Amino acid sequence: QLVESGGDSVQDGGSLKLSCAVSGYGGPCRGWFRQAPGKEREGVASVYTDTGRTNYADSVKGRFAISQDNAKNTVYLQMNSLKPEDTGKYYCAAAHASSARVCSTVAAGTGSAFAYWGQETQVTVS
């Protein structure tokens, strides 16, 4: 089970930190995805928890940072310099991946390879 939190409404240029608490395992590949109204779900960031390797969508590089706390089995997404186009429903997900490379590949798309999903948290930037 994955439970997200931290979504909120912020002004352009603001910051938010999303959390994803994972109960159980779900696999070493953890990803954050988002879906804006009328758009397809897209991968935002991923972390391969076995090695800590991270990957980001070009649209968020330099602004977002994904991190993990293995003791708490929690993944975070620190979002800085938020823009209106970052608005959407954010989801965290977990998948079994054989390597960091596979994790970053499957996390770059719509997340169809991810078996475990959280319920979503809304981020609104205006």
Side-chain angles (χ1 to χ4, degrees):
Q1 183 180 8
L2 288 77
V3 179
E4 299 108 335
S5 61
D8 206 343
S9 296
V10 296
Q11 291 188 334
D12 191 353
S15 297
L16 282 175
K17 186 173 185 177
L18 306 183
S19 299
C20 175
V22 182
S23 58
Y25 181 47
C29 182
R30 308 286 167 84
W32 282 98
F33 297 81
R34 67 185 180 190
Q35 187 166 23
K39 293 189 177 181
E40 193 175 48
R41 186 172 62 200
E42 62 175 350
V44 175
S46 65
V47 59
Y48 191 66
T49 57
D50 285 358
T51 62
R53 177 174 169 176
T54 59
N55 197 62
Y56 299 91
D58 288 343
S59 60
V60 306
K61 280 182 181 177
R63 301 188 297 121
F64 290 14
I66 189 170
S67 61
Q68 60 186 86
D69 183 332
N70 290 337
K72 297 181 179 180
N73 206 10
T74 299
V75 176
Y76 304 96
L77 185 67
Q78 177 67 47
M79 305 186 293
N80 299 323
S81 302
L82 283 162
K83 306 175 181 179
E85 51 263 43
D86 294 318
T87 294
K89 296 178 181 179
Y90 282 69
Y91 303 83
C92 68
H96 294 279
S98 57
S99 69
R101 182 176 181 178
V102 171
C103 177
S104 61
T105 298
V106 299
T110 62
S112 59
F114 283 72
Y116 308 99
W117 290 84
Q119 83 286 358
E120 80 184 45
T121 187
Q122 177 70 37
V123 172
T124 303
V125 185
S126 59

